[in-house]
Amino acid sequence: MVEQGQTSLAGQRLGAPETLGISTLEPGHKPPAMPPGRLVPIRVLLLDDSEEIFDISHRASGRVLFETVCLHLNLIEGDYFGLEFQSHHRKMVWLDLLKPIRKQITRPKHTVLRFVVKFFPPDHSLLLEELTRYLFALQVRQDLASGRLTCSDASASLLVSHIIQSEIGDFEETQCRQHLLNTNYIPDQMALMDKIMEFHHKHIGQTPAESDYRLLEVASRLEMYGIRLHPAKDREGTKLSLAVAHGGVLVFQGHNRINNFNWSKIRKLSFKRRRFLIKLRADPSNINQDTLEFLMASRDCCKMFWKVCVEYHAFFRLFEEPRPKPKPVLFSRGSSFRFRTINIKGICLRPVLMIFICAFLSFSEVTCALVNGHAEDCRGATPSPLISPMLNDTGAIRTDDEEDNRRKNCPTDNAYCIAKELLCTERTYLKDLELITSFQGVLDKEDCVPEALKTLLSSTYEPLHSHHTHFLQELEERLSLWEGPCSTEVKGEMQRIGDLLLKSAQELKVILCVCLQMISECVFALERACVASRRLECVCREFELQKVCYIPLNVFLLSPLHRLLHYRQILDRLCKHYPPTHTDYSDCRAALDDVCELEAALRPGLEQIENYQKLLELQKDLIGVEHLAVAGRQLIRLGCLSKLSGKGLQQRMFFLFNDVLLYSTRGITSANQFTVHRQLPLHGMTIRESEDEWGVPHSFTLMVQQQSLVVAACSESEMEKWMEDLKMAVDMAEECNGLTADLLSTSKDVKSSGASEVVESEDDLCGSRTSLPRNGNNSGNTLNRGNTTAHVCWHRNTSVSMLDFSIAIENQLSGNLLRKFKNSNGWQKLWVVFTNFTLFFYKTHEDEYPLASLPLLGYSVTHAGESENIHKDHVFKLHFKSHIYYFRTESEYFFERWMTVIRSATVSASRTRYLNRTEPD
């Protein structure tokens, strides 16, 4: 709880003693006066993701709360900031400082206000205080992570390099790489890791204060700096976005600015219902209309944007407070909102005054030092209490007793938990179908897409989307009744889902009987069309790189096949839970029979299409190979091994198929791909352990065509899995005929194993790392996904088999988890989706894209021991080297489910164990 007058941690973090610096209070002025009345705790989320609770009178205005927050932070230049919260219409709105809080926030105990930057000045040098610049830097970090601040890859890399210079100090390669692997600052960060490290290396000697300044210097030049987009349409119905900045009103299409209306050209801003109107000043040279009209989603959205425009205009253009209009006696028209300059007793400095202050301070360095109250670099070595990336420990949103009580009041029997798992995973599945729908919308606008492909996609996925939208609505209604209080008669009727599942299974039988083969055909047809059209290939690649497309596009296309396996598992668990006499048993049993019938129809083709999808994914990851995805070729295992050469052990990425073994290195290329150096045919290959021969732990030798290759695994278990799969692949190679003998492209950068020596020269290796591909399927400079399984295996020094992929398909899960770090006290509630060996983190299930991700390959999962002082039930621990995360579930059932699915990603299956494993419960 924050008491009034309490010293801010921000000042301590910056190294300033309590007695130094300019006071935020005028002489003789006390902290903001609190009106009489009962105190209400109000939660405020600060820019460092820490949450503070302020006791404010229920009669207080927004100004009292804002002053209290600024005083707590010891913030002088508070004029640039504001408090925003989510209204009952689920829209983010600004807290009006003049109105009573109780008239704006109906449920203060359940509302979290966010302290954020509201006004972005055109020149970052106008910010006088180091603390202010630091808070602006935190805002830039949030906007980068959320995708609001879009920019080129070069700009993003430069911004992140300044951030990590402030975080970890001067460049040290191992520390920098590990920090970037564990902390996500931008979407798809892994793809830009090498570029970020290159920039970071140039910042040696730069202090944290200088890093913040340089960060704002770069960010303020970006087009999307400080921009909040408000969806709208023009008169022709074209989708646009409106925004307001220091210079006027802006119009965007996507993230591209297409028009700018300067304040000097605007005569009047107004709105009428859903229409936002911009009246321009008369200009003889302007042949266009003088009144522009935009249609917004609702009147509230329109009014909210209009208010923001008025505030921006007043903040950056007005030199005195506008006089209020006299109120009519009986009737009034229009809004009574008027922007007033709020003078918070020295906390707020108008930008106009700041310009003069900056000019004055430029004549006296001593005065400038006095204003800051500390030396140029006064932060010291103390870790920042304000810095909290998504996967860092100080940003936890702590759960309170109310959350614990809510969890206790929910049903805890297994039938309810199984139903809730169905609901959570169905939400994720429906969002995946919605992504396919948006992809169809992108293709519909392209002339290069064959009409047959458009028809195939729409006829396949639109019926599924319609069905599952309705099914999810029914599930949400049923679970709401299940959780709520009800009479004994209603209880037995509402606390079951077998009837809904049976109805859905019967409808799915009709839909999938037609669509089952079409789903696979969609993947094949899309690939054929991309091969035929370079433009379509680029369209698909750009769509796949968007943050909403968090896994490969083809995996989304195959999701209906995967979902059928999940229904079978859920129904199987329900049937095992219920006795045959239970009222819900017969419906669950009948639904299970229908789903098993559908699964039997898809099983023969599922392995084939999954293998083809993985080959297509690898085709994008590899440079120097051709015709990888052909009929008959099967992926068996991919991962890291160390190759023994004259210079010692060198890390290489190996790809094992049923006819050939490829190995490569991950070079520094603009396309973020692996460069293949050799292919080894499997026909006639022999494998033997060679640890005693070479003195290298976990090593074995591959002999083929009178040549040898010595490699070493990272552990004994990895060596056993590689040798087992290699021996099986050699046996398969004896039987397969007709596959391409030479996969390597004709580029001189890549050599075949038929050359006179197996070990490539170091000159060739270095050249391939720095050159761009000239031939093969990936000859363009198009950026690829940097978070694919191959890249994760490279960084974690591990491997994955096709059997692991098959197990991962069945082990997918979604739901709420509470996350805690090793040295923190609070738990943060997150919506988590587990798929493709990765945990994807969202604030809520309604978010469009994940805020961060955690690949689990290489991690271990265990129970949290008593010695770890957790003192909570249902907690499991994820551990990789020095990184430890604790996750807490709401019941024993979900604890077991999360442990089961995560183990499937953290423990690679050997072929023998997989074939002998029992059917999951």
Side-chain angles (χ1 to χ4, degrees):
M1 196 70 68
V2 176
E3 305 275 336
Q4 288 209 28
Q6 182 175 336
T7 304
S8 168
L9 287 176
Q12 298 175 11
R13 178 257 180 197
L14 293 174
E18 295 181 12
T19 57
L20 296 183
I22 297 297
S23 172
T24 59
L25 304 177
E26 291 182 349
H29 184 70
K30 298 180 180 180
M34 189 71 65
R38 62 182 177 87
L39 298 180
V40 177
I42 296 182
R43 295 184 292 166
V44 177
L45 186 66
L46 302 177
L47 279 165
D48 60 336
D49 283 342
S50 66
E51 188 177 290
E52 301 290 351
I53 301 178
F54 298 90
D55 285 334
I56 304 296
S57 169
H58 76 289
R59 296 181 180 178
S61 65
R63 173 182 175 180
V64 173
L65 175 61
F66 185 73
E67 286 186 18
T68 304
V69 175
C70 291
L71 185 63
H72 170 68
L73 293 173
N74 197 26
L75 177 63
I76 296 176
E77 298 170 285
D79 213 8
Y80 293 105
F81 300 84
L83 292 167
E84 64 174 3
F85 63 98
Q86 191 177 61
S87 68
H88 63 282
H89 295 299
R90 294 184 175 273
K91 301 292 184 182
M92 296 303 295
V93 297
W94 293 104
L95 182 73
D96 193 328
L97 301 187
L98 298 182
K99 292 183 179 180
I101 296 177
R102 62 180 178 178
K103 291 188 177 181
Q104 304 179 67
I105 304 176
T106 55
R107 303 177 67 193
K109 291 184 179 180
H110 303 280
T111 302
V112 178
L113 290 91
R114 294 167 54 90
F115 182 82
V116 295
V117 178
K118 185 174 184 179
F119 301 106
F120 291 78
D123 186 359
H124 68 287
S125 63
L126 293 176
L127 306 176
L128 300 181
E129 287 284 300
E130 183 185 343
L131 173 59
T132 311
R133 293 192 294 271
Y134 173 65
L135 294 176
F136 266 70
L138 288 181
Q139 184 69 65
V140 170
R141 286 174 54 169
Q142 285 190 5
D143 292 348
L144 272 175
S146 66
R148 176 183 289 173
L149 180 56
T150 57
C151 57
S152 65
D153 289 345
S155 297
S157 302
L158 181 57
L159 289 169
V160 174
S161 70
H162 285 302
I163 293 173
I164 60 176
Q165 174 69 22
S166 175
E167 287 295 299
I168 65 176
D170 289 343
F171 177 82
E172 196 280 316
E173 184 174 358
T174 303
Q175 182 190 19
C176 180
R177 185 178 297 278
Q178 196 63 41
H179 181 78
L180 289 171
L181 285 174
N182 297 320
T183 309
N184 280 334
Y185 293 107
I186 52 176
D188 292 332
Q189 176 175 288
M190 197 173 293
L192 301 177
M193 185 179 295
D194 296 329
K195 192 68 174 177
I196 294 170
M197 294 174 65
E198 179 184 346
F199 280 125
H200 185 199
H201 189 265
K202 300 177 182 178
H203 303 330
I204 293 178
Q206 189 170 284
T207 67
E210 292 170 343
S211 297
D212 288 348
Y213 190 88
R214 300 302 176 195
L215 175 71
L216 296 179
E217 188 177 46
V218 177
S220 61
R221 294 197 295 263
L222 299 176
E223 190 169 65
M224 297 301 294
Y225 174 68
I227 296 299
R228 293 191 177 207
L229 298 177
H230 298 255
K233 295 180 180 179
D234 62 11
R235 286 181 173 176
E236 288 72 35
T238 304
K239 290 184 178 180
L240 303 169
S241 295
L242 299 179
V244 61
H246 62 88
V249 180
L250 313 176
V251 183
F252 287 82
Q253 193 162 35
H255 285 88
N256 298 318
R257 189 173 69 181
I258 61 175
N259 216 333
N260 176 23
F261 301 102
N262 195 281
W263 294 126
S264 60
K265 297 180 180 180
I266 297 176
R267 181 168 59 89
K268 183 180 180 181
L269 295 175
S270 62
F271 69 96
K272 186 175 183 181
R273 297 185 179 90
R274 295 169 55 196
R275 291 182 297 145
F276 182 76
L277 305 174
I278 303 177
K279 294 186 178 181
L280 303 177
R281 298 186 183 278
D283 186 358
S285 63
N286 185 9
I287 60 175
N288 298 321
Q289 67 229 40
D290 61 349
T291 301
L292 302 173
E293 180 178 314
F294 299 90
L295 189 66
M296 307 193 80
S298 65
R299 181 186 181 278
D300 289 339
C301 293
C302 203
K303 182 179 180 180
M304 181 175 64
F305 180 63
W306 172 80
K307 286 180 66 173
V308 174
C309 289
V310 173
E311 291 175 327
Y312 256 79
H313 179 261
F315 190 89
F316 289 104
R317 297 283 292 183
L318 295 186
F319 294 86
E320 62 181 13
E321 181 176 329
R323 297 178 182 177
K325 291 183 177 180
K327 292 186 177 181
V329 178
L330 296 177
F331 303 101
S332 65
R333 294 185 61 186
S335 173
S336 61
F337 173 78
R338 297 291 181 271
F339 181 83
R340 292 174 174 83
T341 304
I342 308 299
N343 179 19
I344 309 184
K345 299 298 182 183
I347 296 179
C348 293
L349 297 175
R350 288 300 308 272
V352 175
L353 297 177
M354 290 180 63
I355 295 174
F356 293 110
I357 293 174
C358 288
F360 173 76
L361 292 180
S362 64
F363 292 98
S364 175
E365 293 297 328
V366 177
T367 307
C368 187
L370 177 62
V371 171
N372 287 318
H374 38 74
E376 182 180 26
D377 182 20
C378 52
R379 299 187 185 191
T382 305
S384 165
L386 296 179
I387 296 175
S388 175
M390 183 64 187
L391 289 178
N392 209 347
D393 60 342
T394 54
I397 302 174
R398 295 170 178 80
T399 58
D400 50 15
D401 293 337
E402 185 177 341
E403 171 67 16
D404 290 337
N405 291 334
R406 188 198 66 79
R407 292 151 65 92
K408 291 177 183 178
N409 292 332
C410 288
T412 57
D413 63 295
N414 273 13
Y416 166 79
C417 293
I418 296 171
K420 188 166 184 180
E421 178 185 343
L422 174 63
L423 172 65
C424 293
T425 53
E426 190 71 16
R427 284 171 173 166
T428 300
Y429 174 53
L430 184 60
K431 289 187 77 69
D432 292 348
L433 290 178
E434 289 171 351
L435 181 133
I436 299 174
T437 303
S438 64
F439 176 63
Q440 291 175 238
V442 172
L443 296 186
D444 288 342
K445 299 176 182 178
E446 297 291 335
D447 296 333
C448 60
V449 184
E451 289 299 325
L453 177 59
K454 295 179 181 179
T455 303
L456 178 63
L457 288 171
S458 61
S459 60
T460 302
Y461 293 99
E462 286 180 4
L464 289 169
H465 181 266
S466 176
H467 167 78
H468 288 282
T469 300
H470 181 66
F471 180 50
L472 179 60
Q473 291 174 350
E474 291 183 325
L475 275 178
E476 289 176 334
E477 292 174 2
R478 182 62 58 87
L479 265 294
S480 176
L481 293 171
W482 197 327
E483 293 170 352
C486 57
S487 63
T488 306
E489 294 79 7
V490 177
K491 198 172 190 180
E493 185 64 27
M494 291 297 101
Q495 295 188 350
R496 64 193 192 101
I497 57 168
D499 56 330
L500 299 182
L501 282 166
L502 178 58
K503 177 186 173 184
S504 176
Q506 292 171 344
E507 293 175 356
L508 275 178
K509 283 184 68 174
V510 178
I511 298 173
L512 288 180
C513 283
V514 180
C515 299
L516 210 54
Q517 300 302 322
M518 294 168 60
I519 292 172
S520 299
E521 180 57 29
C522 287
V523 177
F524 290 117
L526 181 60
E527 176 62 18
R528 289 195 298 267
C530 288
V531 171
S533 170
R534 183 63 184 272
R535 167 61 186 165
L536 178 57
E537 181 186 8
C538 293
V539 169
C540 294
R541 187 74 58 85
E542 289 173 2
F543 183 85
E544 195 172 36
L545 289 174
Q546 295 181 18
K547 49 184 173 286
V548 294
C549 196
Y550 57 95
I551 54 178
L553 177 60
N554 284 333
V555 178
F556 285 106
L557 295 178
L558 296 177
S559 59
L561 305 182
H562 305 161
R563 189 58 179 158
L564 205 58
L565 305 180
H566 306 155
Y567 288 150
R568 190 258 300 158
Q569 291 180 338
I570 286 173
L571 284 164
D572 189 53
R573 283 196 290 273
L574 280 172
C575 289
K576 289 180 179 179
H577 170 70
Y578 287 135
T581 56
H582 194 278
T583 55
D584 208 23
Y585 179 83
S586 58
D587 285 343
C588 291
R589 184 76 252 179
L592 179 60
D593 293 340
D594 288 340
V595 170
C596 288
E597 182 181 340
L598 283 171
E599 183 183 353
L602 75 89
R603 273 291 182 186
L606 183 58
E607 289 186 7
Q608 177 188 1
I609 189 61
E610 285 295 332
N611 178 74
Y612 181 70
Q613 186 272 322
K614 294 302 173 189
L615 294 178
L616 292 179
E617 184 178 326
L618 290 180
Q619 203 163 261
K620 299 173 183 177
D621 278 339
L622 298 179
I623 296 175
V625 295
E626 296 176 335
H627 313 299
L628 185 63
V630 296
R633 177 164 291 118
Q634 298 177 34
L635 173 65
I636 297 176
R637 181 173 289 274
L638 63 91
C640 273
L641 291 171
S642 295
K643 172 177 158 293
L644 184 62
S645 69
K647 293 192 175 182
L649 292 173
Q650 298 175 327
Q651 184 180 6
R652 296 289 182 267
M653 192 71 185
F654 283 75
F655 303 89
L656 176 62
F657 305 94
N658 62 334
D659 64 323
V660 69
L661 176 67
L662 304 177
Y663 68 89
S664 65
T665 186
R666 184 176 180 269
I668 305 175
T669 69
S670 64
N672 195 37
Q673 295 163 296
F674 293 91
T675 302
V676 176
H677 294 291
R678 288 292 186 276
Q679 71 170 18
L680 300 176
L682 296 181
H683 188 77
M685 178 182 285
T686 60
I687 304 105
R688 73 171 189 270
E689 291 189 40
S690 53
E691 182 173 339
D692 296 335
E693 179 181 355
W694 295 98
V696 178
H698 320 309
S699 62
F700 55 97
T701 302
L702 307 177
M703 291 287 298
V704 60
Q705 297 179 355
Q706 300 178 350
Q707 301 169 6
S708 65
L709 179 68
V710 182
V711 294
C714 63
S715 65
E716 184 177 357
S717 61
E718 275 289 298
M719 181 189 72
E720 291 174 353
K721 285 182 281 191
W722 271 107
M723 292 186 66
E724 181 183 4
D725 284 348
L726 277 164
K727 291 175 181 177
M728 182 197 66
V730 170
D731 294 338
M732 297 174 66
E734 303 294 333
E735 303 173 359
C736 70
N737 296 308
L739 292 181
T740 305
D742 192 357
L743 287 175
L744 302 189
S745 65
T746 56
S747 170
K748 66 180 181 182
D749 290 336
V750 185
K751 300 179 180 179
S752 171
S753 61
S756 59
E757 58 180 358
V758 171
V759 180
E760 74 271 13
S761 70
E762 294 302 317
D763 292 337
D764 288 340
L765 179 59
C766 294
S768 66
R769 281 186 173 179
T770 56
S771 61
L772 296 180
R774 292 187 289 272
N775 295 300
N777 55 302
N778 287 319
S779 59
N781 294 344
T782 308
L783 186 66
N784 288 273
R785 299 179 64 91
N787 61 347
T788 61
T789 307
H791 288 87
V792 176
C793 286
W794 173 266
H795 289 291
R796 299 279 168 82
N797 194 21
T798 187
S799 67
V800 175
S801 71
M802 197 62 200
L803 290 178
D804 295 320
F805 286 114
S806 300
I807 296 172
I809 290 172
E810 299 185 14
N811 288 288
Q812 299 181 18
L813 195 58
S814 303
N816 287 312
L817 286 177
L818 298 175
R819 190 207 61 193
K820 177 186 178 298
F821 299 93
K822 182 178 179 180
N823 298 319
S824 66
N825 296 320
W827 293 87
Q828 184 180 18
K829 185 176 181 180
L830 297 167
W831 175 261
V832 183
V833 174
F834 174 73
T835 184
N836 208 36
F837 308 108
T838 304
L839 292 175
F840 295 94
F841 299 99
Y842 303 74
K843 284 292 182 67
T844 70
H845 69 85
E846 297 176 341
D847 291 356
E848 293 185 3
Y849 53 85
L851 299 176
S853 62
L854 180 64
L856 295 184
L857 294 176
Y859 269 80
S860 61
V861 57
T862 58
H863 295 68
E866 295 182 1
S867 61
E868 295 172 274
N869 297 321
I870 298 298
H871 307 304
K872 294 288 184 181
D873 296 329
H874 318 313
V875 177
F876 61 88
K877 178 174 74 172
L878 285 175
H879 179 243
F880 176 73
K881 295 184 178 178
S882 62
H883 308 288
I884 297 177
Y885 306 110
Y886 296 100
F887 291 92
R888 177 177 157 207
T889 67
E890 62 186 59
S891 67
E892 181 68 23
Y893 171 86
F894 282 109
F895 174 80
E896 296 295 337
R897 286 291 296 134
W898 280 105
M899 288 282 286
T900 298
V901 299
I902 290 176
R903 278 199 182 110
S904 71
T906 56
V907 180
S908 178
S910 71
R911 184 167 299 276
T912 304
R913 286 190 291 109
Y914 177 75
L915 295 176
N916 294 333
R917 73 189 179 102
T918 57
E919 192 69 13
D921 292 339

